[in-house]
Amino acid sequence: MELSLIIPIYNTGRWLIECLDSAAAAVKGIDAEVLLIDDGSIDNSGDMAKQYAENTPGFFYYRKENGGLSSARNYGISLAKGKYLAFLDSDDKVAGWIYRDMLYMAEKNQTPLTICNVTRYNERGGTPVSPQYQKAFSSPPMATTSIRQDPNLVFDTAVWNKLILRSFWDEHDLSFPEGRVYEDGPVSFRLHWYSDRVSVIHSFGYFYRIRDGEFLSITQRTDLLKNLQDKLDMERNVLIFLRDKRDDPATDELLITLQKRVVCMAIESTLLSLYLMDRASQELFISLIGTFLKEEITPEALDKMSLYHQTKYKLLVSGDREGLLQLMNHKRLAWRTMPVIELGDKPMLVLPVEIYKKSMTPAAKELQDDIPLTRITDIRKDDEALNIDLTVYQPRINVAPGSDRRIEAFLYCEFTGRKIALDTTPMPSPELTKEKGTMVCQDDFRVYEYNYDGAGLAVKISLADLSELDTSGRWFLGISFDTSISSGERLLRSIAPDAKKYILTELADLNPGKKGTGKTVKAGFDQRESFFFTVS
């Protein structure tokens, strides 16, 4: 048997059928078992799951006493017969290709761990960006890598976007810590640490539900004291594990990245919940977090962080509740509109002195995690080529025509890691300046103007080149960039409405190139508007 998919279930009747239907589609054609572990549900989830298993080949229902998510997963693992393990939470869903493609990559590359990208979605049908997974997949795309080669995989903290070789799981005696929430972190880190190579699928295969209102999941309840204690314990668990590996040359850099993740992301959602608490609870949470940071975060790691996070650290460690609330309120309401001005040839971010104790700071460090915004604005096909117009810019950073920056485009094959450089020509984009160039600072309500006239890019993909693409996986359009703020590579993830319509109506079957090749090339885009080609 190829795959054991384990789905713990507890009081998720509202979303369960959508989850199970997505699982059924995803294992179609695979030698798989889907283990439905009812963790003592007290709503109709158990009955729904049992009936679904009775009517669906390959689905099996088991009921156990309530013990929590980790207990249900561990129980499912004890029953599993597959060569590979995968996990799906019963309020989430997966893409139809996820397990087929992950199995292909795992077998092709002989990797014990395979991961795919993650997107969030909410009850209103929105797909808000996950900053954590944006960071986890922010390094130049590669078909295989490892946490030693790509420390940003520290931000890949969940287990449900993974395919895990069962013998590898057993070899390292892995299990989920029971009685805790945020249990994925220690397990996910160990999976990455022990894996010499990891197969990476950059497509969004896992859809993580953001529940609303009264239906918040347990991990969304960041205002609960036990949740904070568990979160800090799980983060400490990973830090202690890594500090015990000092003989590994990758440890120092990973420790820095891990501490940045803790300060910049892990505690951020908890801090946002301070507004829901009374003063006594706020002071308790601040004291617990401050003590943790003082014990676990080193000066070397803190020095790599932005001024915002350094200020947050100092306020937490000193227990300055009023100063912290002022900082968080400014971040929530005004941070994205604080102006960037050019001082000589260096972009500087202007700051309120009463909060940051200085009036400005280098924008390159403060905006270090801001990747360029990209958008396909137009797409046209002629007899020889596909012509794509893009804009590539970073908000608040001027891009006049002739600016000293490097932007190049490429096609990236998800299964092989192959990249093909594309013809790229700068082009004017005055419409972007007109649309996005005016900003009102929400701190002092002054108006600032930015020049994005040089943010345009014309990309040409010859039909002859398309005819030469191999049939392995999806081919994504990506860019490499080197600007005054940041450098790196990313896949394009935004398409203008008219361009989307053109893709759907005119590029469904390109039939490029030479007769007799027998290839069909189709263009498309996914839920996050990533543009790609498939070849068959």
Side-chain angles (χ1 to χ4, degrees):
M1 179 173 291
E2 289 183 286
L3 172 66
S4 294
L5 174 59
I6 298 168
I7 307 179
I9 298 166
Y10 182 73
N11 293 353
T12 51
R14 179 183 174 92
W15 311 281
L16 184 59
I17 298 303
E18 183 181 17
C19 169
L20 299 184
D21 283 347
S22 78
V27 299
K28 187 176 181 180
I30 297 173
D31 182 16
E33 60 179 359
V34 182
L35 307 179
L36 309 182
I37 312 299
D38 177 9
D39 189 37
S41 297
I42 56 176
D43 68 350
N44 61 344
S45 301
D47 292 337
M48 294 169 69
K50 184 176 182 180
Q51 184 177 5
Y52 200 99
E54 290 172 350
N55 296 324
T56 310
F59 279 62
F60 304 93
Y61 171 80
Y62 300 91
R63 182 174 175 87
K64 61 179 287 294
E65 291 185 4
N66 179 251
L69 179 62
S70 290
S71 173
R73 284 173 173 170
N74 289 334
Y75 181 67
I77 293 168
S78 72
L79 301 169
K81 303 179 180 68
K83 180 179 179 180
Y84 292 92
L85 299 172
F87 302 92
L88 170 58
D89 285 358
S90 57
D91 54 349
D92 298 337
K93 61 183 179 180
V94 291
W97 52 261
I98 179 172
Y99 301 121
R100 178 196 69 222
D101 287 6
M102 292 179 96
L103 284 165
Y104 172 82
M105 289 285 278
E107 290 291 300
K108 171 180 172 291
N109 299 321
Q110 290 297 292
T111 51
L113 182 64
T114 301
I115 65 174
C116 72
N117 212 337
V118 175
T119 189
R120 302 186 293 182
Y121 73 108
N122 57 33
E123 303 292 330
R124 300 175 298 281
T127 54
V129 172
S130 167
Q132 180 157 322
Y133 272 90
Q134 189 176 64
K135 184 67 175 176
F137 283 80
S138 64
S139 297
M142 301 177 68
T144 60
T145 186
S146 71
I147 202 168
R148 291 166 177 81
Q149 184 177 357
D150 179 9
N152 283 331
L153 290 176
V154 161
F155 291 84
D156 176 32
T157 58
V159 297
W160 26 244
N161 66 325
K162 295 174 174 56
L163 183 77
I164 307 157
L165 185 66
R166 172 61 185 272
S167 59
F168 173 77
W169 179 276
D170 291 340
E171 176 189 352
H172 296 287
D173 195 26
L174 296 173
S175 64
F176 292 97
E178 299 189 13
R180 301 294 188 99
V181 294
Y182 305 107
E183 59 278 283
D184 284 24
V187 175
S188 182
F189 186 84
R190 284 164 172 79
L191 287 169
H192 275 295
W193 177 264
Y194 291 129
S195 299
D196 291 332
R197 287 201 309 157
V198 179
S199 292
V200 182
I201 296 178
H202 287 263
S203 293
F204 296 95
Y206 195 94
F207 302 91
Y208 169 67
R209 184 185 299 274
I210 303 297
R211 299 193 203 173
D212 294 332
E214 62 183 297
F215 299 105
L216 293 180
S217 67
I218 185 62
T219 54
Q220 287 180 256
R221 291 297 310 276
T222 55
D223 58 324
L224 298 178
L225 177 60
K226 183 183 184 304
N227 282 12
L228 173 61
Q229 293 169 328
D230 283 357
K231 177 182 283 190
L232 298 180
D233 284 348
M234 294 299 98
E235 297 296 350
R236 184 177 280 110
N237 177 289
V238 177
L239 287 164
I240 291 172
F241 174 86
L242 187 54
R243 286 179 179 133
D244 284 342
K245 312 297 180 183
R246 287 290 188 181
D247 56 335
D248 191 296
T251 295
D252 288 344
E253 184 177 1
L254 282 171
L255 272 172
I256 295 290
T257 308
L258 179 58
Q259 290 174 80
K260 288 178 66 176
R261 182 183 65 74
V262 171
V263 175
C264 302
M265 292 196 180
I267 67 171
E268 193 77 2
S269 59
T270 299
L271 294 179
L272 290 173
S273 69
L274 291 176
Y275 297 102
L276 305 175
M277 305 177 192
D278 59 30
R279 179 169 183 150
S281 297
Q282 290 174 344
E283 291 175 346
L284 176 59
F285 272 55
I286 290 169
S287 174
L288 290 172
I289 296 171
T291 300
F292 172 87
L293 295 180
K294 187 175 182 179
E295 293 173 350
E296 301 295 346
I297 305 303
T298 64
E300 293 79 11
L302 194 63
D303 186 59
K304 301 288 187 181
M305 301 179 203
S306 69
L307 181 61
Y308 164 74
H309 293 299
Q310 291 175 356
T311 304
K312 179 176 68 177
Y313 170 91
K314 292 174 184 176
L315 293 169
L316 283 163
V317 169
S318 66
D320 186 347
R321 184 186 71 91
E322 291 185 1
L324 180 65
L325 291 175
Q326 185 184 26
L327 175 74
M328 298 299 296
N329 195 53
H330 181 268
K331 175 72 181 296
R332 182 170 58 93
L333 298 177
W335 178 256
R336 288 290 175 185
T337 66
M338 295 307 297
V340 173
I341 63 173
E342 294 181 5
L343 197 64
D345 61 350
K346 181 180 292 186
M348 301 293 289
L349 180 68
V350 177
L351 299 169
V353 176
E354 66 273 16
I355 297 177
Y356 289 95
K357 313 308 178 189
K358 60 172 62 178
S359 61
M360 60 181 66
T361 191
K365 185 172 184 180
E366 209 60 28
L367 307 179
Q368 60 185 278
D369 292 325
D370 287 12
I371 57 177
L373 300 182
T374 60
R375 187 171 179 83
I376 294 177
T377 57
D378 190 29
I379 186 165
R380 307 167 306 283
K381 176 179 174 291
D382 58 31
D383 291 339
E384 296 183 351
L386 198 60
N387 301 287
I388 303 173
D389 294 345
L390 316 173
T391 55
V392 182
Y393 77 107
Q394 289 169 288
R396 299 177 282 176
I397 304 299
N398 288 316
V399 190
S403 293
D404 183 19
R405 67 171 194 163
R406 181 187 60 80
I407 307 288
E408 298 173 352
F410 57 86
L411 289 177
Y412 169 74
C413 182
E414 186 165 61
F415 282 2
T416 65
R418 181 185 172 198
K419 294 177 184 175
I420 300 175
L422 300 174
D423 290 338
T424 308
T425 306
M427 63 179 288
S429 55
E431 66 286 345
L432 182 62
T433 299
K434 184 177 180 180
E435 180 185 357
K436 301 289 187 181
T438 301
M439 186 195 73
V440 179
C441 176
Q442 296 302 306
D443 193 49
D444 60 12
F445 299 103
R446 293 174 61 186
V447 176
Y448 293 84
E449 302 287 344
Y450 296 96
N451 182 356
Y452 303 136
D453 286 1
L457 205 66
V459 177
K460 184 175 183 178
I461 308 176
S462 75
L463 298 185
D465 285 344
L466 285 178
S467 71
E468 298 299 325
L469 298 181
D470 60 55
T471 57
S472 299
R474 292 165 286 271
W475 287 83
F476 286 94
L477 180 60
I479 60 162
S480 60
F481 56 93
D482 188 357
T483 72
S484 61
I485 297 297
S486 59
S487 62
E489 294 181 357
R490 67 161 302 184
L491 305 181
L492 270 71
R493 293 209 164 105
S494 181
I495 308 173
D498 287 347
K500 284 198 283 189
K501 182 177 179 181
Y502 189 89
I503 293 168
L504 293 173
T505 58
E506 303 296 329
L507 304 183
D509 189 349
L510 287 169
N511 291 321
K514 307 165 186 174
K515 293 182 179 179
T517 61
K519 288 183 180 179
T520 298
V521 179
K522 297 181 180 181
F525 52 88
D526 61 19
Q527 294 86 350
R528 295 219 60 86
E529 300 185 3
S530 303
F531 179 66
F532 61 83
F533 299 99
T534 56
V535 186
S536 58

